Each structure stands twice: as C-alpha cells, then as structure tokens.
Amino acid sequence: MSNYPHLFQPLRAGRLTLKNRIIMGSMHTRLEAEPDGSARAAAFYAERARGGAALIVTGGYSPDAHGLLEADAGALDHPHKVAEHRVVTDAVHTAGGLICLQILHAGRYAKHDNPVGASDIASPISRRKPRALSTAEVGQTVASFAACAALAREAGYDGVEIMGSEGYLISQFTALRTNNRSDRYGGPLENRLRFPLEIVRATRARVGADFLILFRMSALDLVEGGLNAEETLQLARGLEAAGVDVLDTGIGWHEARVPTIAYMVPRAAWRDATARIKSAVSIPVVATNRINTPELAEELLRDGVADLVSLARPLLADAAFALKAEQGRAAEINTCVACNQGCLDYLFRNKVASCMVNPRACSETLYPEGKARRAKRVAVVGAGAAGLACAITAFERGHSVTLYEAQEDIGGQLNLAKQVPGKEFAETLRYFRARLGNSSVRLKAGHRADADELARGAYDAVVLASGVRPRLPDIPGIDHPKVLRYDEVLSGAKVPGARVAIIGAGGIGYDVAEYLSEPRAEAKAAGFLENWGVDPQGMGDGGLAAPKPEQSPRAIVMLQRRHTPPGKTLGATTGWALRMTLARRKVPVLSSVSYQRIDDAGLYIEHEGQVKLLEVDHVVLCAGQEPVNELRAELAAKGIDAVAIGGAERAEEIDALRAIEQGMKVAYAL
Ligand code: NAP
C-alpha cells in the first residue's frame, strides 16, 4: 500500500492514461540556445521520465517569429525543426514517459525588437512597446498555434500545452489591462475570451481527438485590470467546451507585485484558487506553485483541490521525485527550496538553467551518472554545503571518502540559513543526511583534522571545504557587548533587543533583517495572502485586495557604506519581494554611511555630512566573511596540494549555489 494512495492512482486524460498524478511543469531551460541543446534536453527530460513523472511538459516554444521570448528562443514553426524535437520525444518514450510541447507566444513580454500584443500597451517589466496585432493577424496567430500543434504531433509529442497564463499573449487578450481593442477580440469579456477559445478549437480541429490538449490558464492574474474569479471560471468553462482535455493553472502575471513561487510563498498557498476552477469544470485540473513534497501533493489530491499536481522546480531538484515517493523513500528526495537562484535567476542572466540543490539539472550529459575511471582515497575537510556535495558525489563516483567536520553536526552555514523565514534549508540538510546515511563515507564529526593527520592518511586528494568566519570590521568599540555577529543571532545564541542596527546590507544583512522583523506567530494579524493583498475569494480586480502588511516587533535600521541602491546583490526574482517586505515593515536602509564608533549609547555613523547617533540596543554585524583555509598552507608545507572549495576558496559572494556546484564539480574532476 503506497504512502500516497491518491498520488499514485492512474488518471484518464483525453485518450491517454497517466500512470500517476505527477506532471512535470513547463520550465524554460535555455538549452535550445546551446549547440548540443537537443541532446542535452533529451537527457534532461528522459531522466525525469525514468524518475517516474507521468507526463512532462517542455519549456515554451513559440508558434511564430513574433512570439519568441527572446531572439534565440525556440519556435516550432517549420517542418525542418521537427527532427530536433524527435530526439527529445524518442528519448522520453524510450524511458517510458509521455511528453507534451508547450506552445508559448510571449506577446509584449518578448525580449526582442519586434514584440506584438493585443494592444500597443507596454509592460512595466519591459521597455519595448508592442505593436497591436491587426484583426487579420490575430486570425493568423490562431492558425499558427494550430500549425505548431500539428508539427508537435509530427515530432512525436503526446500532446501540447497552450500557454495562457502568467501575462503572455493569451492573458494580454483576456485582460482589460492590456486589451483596448475595438474589434471582435476586444471590449466585453466574451470578446476578450475569443482568442484563447479560437486557439483551442483550431488546434483540436487540426490535431484530432486523440492528441492531448492541455491549456494553462491563469487561476489568478494578480494585476489590476486582470480577470476576477468569476471571469476566470467563465474562461475555464469555455475552454472545457472548446475541447481542452486538462486545465493546468498558473498564478499571477510576471509583472504582478505579489510573489507567487519564491521561497517566501508558503507551500500550496494557491490551493483555493485552483479549487475554484476544479469546482467549475469536469475535466482534470492541475494544481501548481510551491508544491514540493509528496505529502503536500497527496493532501491536495485527497482534499479534492485538483486532480493532478504540476512540479517544475521540484523535478529540477530531483528527477526521481515520483519514484522515491512511490518506493517509500521520500526522505531521500532532494527538495526544491524555491530559492530561484539556479533556475530563474540564471535564466535572467541568459545562462542555461540549473538548480542550487542539484547542479546536474540540465547538464546531465556533462556530468553523467557512473563511476570514475580510477577509484581514489579522498579526504574532505568540512561538512557544510560544499563539503557535503563533494564528499557524497565523490563516494557515488566510486571513491573512498573520509569527511571531517569540526562541529558535532554537519551542515555548516546551512544551519544558519535554515533559520531565515521561508528558507527551507532544513530539507536540504535532511536530504544530505539521507544520502550520507546510504553511503560508506566515513564521517568524522566533532573532529578537527590537522595537517599531520591528513598527511598520515596518505590520501590521493585532500579537499578543503572549511568554510568561512564572519568579518569583524575595524570600528572602535567593535568588542562592545552591544555588538553581535550574524551567526550568534541566527543560531539563537543571542537575542537582540527592540532597537537594532545592522551593519552590512548584503544577502545576509537582508536575511537577518527579515528574521528580526518577522512578527512573532501570536502577533501575526493576517496570513500571506492578506499581507500581500490577495483577495481570498478572488473577486477583487485581478484577484487583488488592499494589502495588510505586517509590522516589525523591532525598530531596525540597515546600513551600508556603498552609494549604490541597497539590495542590488539579491536574487533577480526574489530580491524585489524581500525589499518590499522590509519596506512595508518600515525597515530603512541607509547608504553612504561611515562607521565612527560603538559605545553604551549606541552606534555613531557619519551620514549626509553629519555625525548621527543611532540609539540601539544591539548592533548586528553582517559585514561579509573571510575564508577559513589556514590548513592549506600547512598542508603545502608537507607537500600536499589541497584543493579549496566553497567559502574556503573565496569568501566573497559565497552562497549555497556556488558551494554545492563547486563541490559536485570538484568531485567529478577527482
Ligand atoms: P555580501 O553580500 O558581500 O555583503 C557584505 C556586506 O558587508 C555589504 O553590505 C558590505 O557593504 C558590508 N561590508 C563589507 N566589508 C565591510 C567592512 N569592513 N565594514 C563594514 N561593512 C562591510 O555578503 P553577505 O551578506 O555576507 O553574504 C554572503 C554571500 O551569501 C553573498 O554572496 C550573498 O549574496 C549570499 N547570500 C545570498 C542570499 C540569498 O538569498 N540569495 C542570502 C544570504 C546570503 P559596504 O561595503 O557597502 O558597507
């Protein structure tokens, strides 16, 4: 008997039978822009099919040149492109999976020089003003969607997903915010829904009854001038009648000022919006966003919120999510922590997607599973993120590994990061523990390895992953009892008072500010949706309501010396929400400050040409880190050339993303 009886129940979808309720949701990978993109995509998707996902949806492909997300994005708009897709569909079918192509027309979100839209209204997140499609061009675009689906069928796909959410072209037609047309595609709701419904009808007519059509609709627009819940349900019913087999859901347009998938969004936060759609139609409905454990997926299915769950980032993090859940090995799942650092933030920087907790994602052909040619004896010093990733990967590559950790427990800085509200690094630690437990890595915890011991060990390779120590800035009074380090605060060893100044507004400064400004559970007036201004019933304009921001229990001020706008180093897709949270909690950031001294009265700074006293109870140091790598020179003196990784190699900009990636790569290079 499965631990997840609903999750592993087959489901009829159109003419197909899905073996379980897990769909791999669409994610852009940027592999299509790589020279060996088809082979890498084939390996990436095939691994997810072998890992048990019932159905995979590819990243978005445009049906025509206008709809490209960016100049080198993928389009399936010509028969000569069918062959490159065959490589992918054949690989997935050989692996026992099913795969649908997502058809995505970017509309005004296109990052190229010739964007089109329902109307010529620019988006707040793009500088380019779109050209409004003429009525004849709308008809041609409908035909392009259908033609793209026909090519997908020729390429061996089992179906298509029509991308109608997140603010792309189809959303731009349905919402008054972006549609001021005066033809039959503009004006009353019935007209604005015409475009998606025509696309579905034309596609169905072109591909026949036995080809799966999913439509990803916006369960909540979360923008002013977007659809409300009632209008959304009208669209859902229309789509069912037009011939859609499965209704997938998306939450919020990309320009929405409400976080929808990042770590600060509670798990399954959007379940009510999905449940509303399910209650309006009889075809299967898919729940999405922040569903990252099999328990949660099972709960949503059991409670009748949806018929299927879409896991996108969670299957980047772990290709075998479904298999592990089915086999009772859920503790071994590498859980997506919704950091967005390796996936969306990479895509924003025009890099191929990866995953912070699984750097092999989208690079399966570069880091194939299997053993190294020669087994070596390896010592890894430090069991933080970098050391754990290195030691475990090295073991799995066939090496004999000893892992030294000075603390009693593993985890290093992950033990601090997991204290930050919303940051699920406890899952990452649980996963590392499970992998370590299944390995024969010799863990020597509570044991500080020295150069003599490492030399006696006669290892073939020594990897130093000894991490970082907090930087103590050179400020008079730095040893005053008012001064606390970030590690003392996040570990709970020291609790700051009601008035706090934070020195340093980098990633850790922001994390500490969030931690210290988070209202205590008993003082929380409202939940996530109310804080961010989401109408729980979805009946406000675009599903929005007036936000009810949280109040900080402390008066906090953040400080930095640099003159640039604060928070510039935060993640592209999460930083804005963190900055907004702190602004709403009235936590200011002062730039261009210099630190004078700290005494019983507080912290003296020079700011805007004046010396000011910040009368605070505590000053929390978040002024960066320095590497801990003294062993390297000691080993060098004994003729041992140790490789330093993670913060021990370079403390600047060290985070779990670089630590885990470097740990894995060094293990492959052994
Ligand atoms: P950081 O981002 O480099 O910030 C260090 C801060 O300390 C800066 O604000 C810097 O600002 C200040 N500083 C540096 N030297 C100082 C000195 N001598 N005296 C006073 N202030 C000084 O480093 P971090 O905050 O320690 O974070 C470490 C890494 O982890 C970073 O790469 C960060 O992005 C990453 N991280 C990421 C996340 C995430 O969510 N993605 C969260 C936490 C950490 P000024 O020099 O202008 O004063």
Side-chain angles (χ1 to χ4, degrees):
M1 172 71 181
S2 161
N3 293 339
Y4 314 104
H6 294 85
L7 193 55
F8 290 99
Q9 187 129 141
L11 178 75
R12 190 93 180 140
R15 303 275 167 94
L16 292 177
T17 299
L18 307 184
K19 65 183 172 196
N20 60 46
R21 304 302 180 95
I22 298 174
I23 294 185
M24 178 176 174
S26 175
M27 279 217 60
H28 309 317
T29 61
R30 282 197 114 252
L31 284 173
E32 65 282 354
E34 293 295 294
D36 51 353
S38 294
R40 283 176 70 174
F44 169 67
Y45 289 124
E47 196 161 307
R48 272 82 196 152
R50 278 196 299 280
L55 175 71
I56 289 167
V57 183
T58 66
Y61 281 82
S62 177
D64 64 27
H66 289 307
L68 288 172
L69 260 176
E70 52 197 349
D72 56 357
L76 183 52
D77 54 355
H78 195 279
H80 80 255
K81 295 185 179 166
V82 163
E84 69 201 54
H85 286 266
R86 265 274 169 212
V87 180
V88 173
T89 56
D90 283 350
V92 169
H93 291 148
T94 304
L98 297 169
I99 183 162
C100 291
L101 179 93
Q102 189 190 67
I103 311 179
L104 181 155
H105 191 303
R108 69 178 191 158
Y109 281 164
K111 290 191 245 162
H112 56 69
D113 293 336
N114 201 11
V116 296
S119 298
D120 60 352
I121 303 169
S123 129
I125 56 171
S126 167
R127 286 178 312 251
R128 303 162 184 86
K129 192 170 180 178
R131 177 177 65 75
L133 289 168
S134 69
T135 306
E137 284 175 317
V138 178
Q140 284 158 20
T141 308
V142 169
S144 303
F145 269 89
C148 180
L151 290 173
R153 186 177 183 134
E154 221 179 297
Y157 287 102
D158 302 287
V160 287
E161 172 167 282
I162 298 166
M163 177 47 155
S165 71
E166 259 83 0
Y168 293 115
L169 184 69
I170 293 178
S171 308
Q172 292 159 26
F173 268 85
T174 58
L176 277 174
R177 175 183 182 82
T178 39
N179 181 343
N180 60 16
R181 302 176 70 92
S182 52
D183 63 3
R184 63 180 190 278
Y185 296 101
L189 183 66
E190 191 190 337
N191 282 1
R192 285 180 278 123
L193 301 188
R194 195 182 303 281
F195 182 56
L197 300 183
E198 282 186 358
I199 289 173
V200 172
R201 281 189 218 107
T203 303
R204 179 58 79 204
R206 204 51 205 271
V207 297
D210 60 347
F211 195 61
L212 196 66
I213 300 182
L214 292 90
F215 189 101
R216 183 156 168 196
M217 64 173 291
S218 188
L220 274 172
D221 282 349
L222 302 180
V223 288
E224 281 150 15
L227 302 189
N228 67 21
E230 210 169 275
E231 294 164 330
T232 301
L233 299 192
Q234 197 169 322
L235 172 60
R237 290 187 203 102
L239 291 167
E240 178 174 22
V244 165
D245 295 310
V246 175
L247 268 185
D248 196 357
T249 53
I251 304 290
W253 291 26
H254 287 320
E255 68 207 62
R257 293 290 84 188
V258 179
T260 55
I261 61 168
Y263 67 88
M264 60 282 284
V265 179
R267 292 176 175 182
W270 310 106
R271 53 181 289 157
D272 292 350
T274 317
R276 281 197 291 270
I277 295 179
K278 175 147 170 63
S279 68
V281 296
S282 52
I283 50 176
V285 170
V286 188
T288 183
N289 288 29
R290 292 292 278 127
I291 304 167
N292 60 349
T293 67
E295 287 74 21
L296 191 59
E298 173 70 14
E299 186 185 308
L300 293 173
L301 299 171
R302 186 201 63 206
D303 294 354
V305 169
D307 306 281
L308 293 150
V309 290
S310 170
L311 310 181
R313 295 170 302 165
L315 293 199
L316 271 186
D318 197 332
F321 181 104
L323 216 55
K324 289 177 181 175
E326 192 171 21
Q327 295 173 348
R329 296 161 50 214
E332 294 172 37
I333 292 176
N334 194 2
T335 304
C336 165
V337 298
C339 67
N340 288 356
Q341 287 173 246
C343 51
L344 297 178
D345 288 351
Y346 268 20
L347 294 169
F348 262 71
R349 304 209 304 266
N350 295 335
K351 291 173 74 166
V352 170
S354 179
C355 173
M356 184 184 77
V357 296
N358 174 26
R360 277 187 74 242
C362 295
S363 295
E364 287 76 7
T365 54
L366 309 180
Y367 300 100
E369 284 172 330
K371 303 291 181 205
R373 248 181 299 151
R374 186 166 82 81
K376 293 186 177 171
R377 297 183 62 255
V378 180
V380 178
V381 181
L388 284 166
C390 185
I392 296 168
T393 310
F395 165 77
E396 288 166 358
R397 301 270 303 145
H399 301 297
S400 163
V401 182
T402 305
L403 175 59
Y404 296 91
E405 170 55 55
Q407 302 299 317
E408 291 301 325
D409 199 8
I410 63 167
Q413 299 271 314
L414 293 177
N415 288 309
L416 300 176
K418 75 180 186 192
Q419 303 299 337
V420 178
K423 295 209 167 175
E424 298 189 7
F425 286 105
E427 297 283 7
T428 310
L429 267 170
R430 184 260 308 140
Y431 161 74
F432 274 132
R433 257 186 241 289
R435 239 171 113 196
L436 204 54
N438 287 340
S439 78
S440 323
V441 170
R442 282 172 300 281
L443 173 65
K444 298 199 171 190
H447 181 98
R448 188 174 290 278
D450 62 21
D452 285 338
E453 179 178 4
L454 291 167
R456 276 199 308 277
Y459 293 105
D460 298 313
V462 176
V463 180
L464 277 191
S466 35
V468 293
R469 61 173 70 90
R471 178 182 290 130
L472 296 185
D474 187 14
I475 304 171
I478 195 73
D479 50 1
H480 192 280
K482 270 183 189 301
V483 180
L484 308 178
R485 299 186 317 260
Y486 72 84
D487 55 322
E488 295 173 315
V489 171
L490 287 175
S491 66
K494 302 269 172 73
V495 180
R499 300 167 307 165
V500 177
I502 297 177
I503 290 186
I508 292 180
Y510 270 88
D511 276 356
V512 167
E514 171 151 49
Y515 174 80
L516 293 177
S517 65
E518 166 95 340
R520 290 176 202 98
E522 66 278 11
K524 276 187 180 278
F528 168 83
L529 297 182
E530 290 86 350
N531 287 156
W532 282 94
V534 179
D535 178 353
Q537 271 74 49
M539 283 313 294
D541 184 12
L544 295 171
K548 293 184 192 154
E550 297 169 322
Q551 298 307 312
S552 168
R554 293 183 172 86
I556 300 171
V557 56
M558 296 171 69
L559 307 162
Q560 64 172 14
R561 297 171 305 175
R562 68 192 67 178
H563 313 292
T564 47
K568 277 281 167 206
T569 56
L570 300 174
T573 61
T574 50
W576 66 270
L578 185 48
R579 285 192 296 269
M580 217 159 141
T581 299
L582 292 177
R584 286 179 172 168
R585 290 181 189 166
K586 302 193 174 61
V587 177
V589 191
L590 306 186
S591 299
S592 312
V593 302
S594 67
Y595 305 107
Q596 303 289 309
R597 68 177 196 280
I598 300 158
D599 65 18
D600 289 349
L603 169 65
Y604 295 82
I605 59 168
E606 194 178 321
H607 184 235
E608 296 173 337
Q610 289 181 325
V611 173
K612 298 176 184 170
L613 167 65
L614 303 176
E615 292 180 51
V616 292
D617 303 309
H618 288 102
V619 175
V620 182
L621 297 179
C622 303
Q625 295 104 6
E626 281 155 5
V628 176
N629 58 12
E630 291 77 5
L631 254 182
R632 195 180 196 173
E634 292 165 30
L635 288 168
K638 293 181 183 296
I640 298 170
D641 188 14
V643 186
I645 63 171
E649 186 226 5
R650 189 163 58 87
E652 285 83 40
E653 291 167 17
I654 183 60
D655 58 7
L657 177 70
R658 172 152 68 84
I660 294 175
E661 185 179 353
Q662 200 179 13
M664 181 202 77
K665 285 185 175 172
V666 165
Y668 266 85
L670 284 169

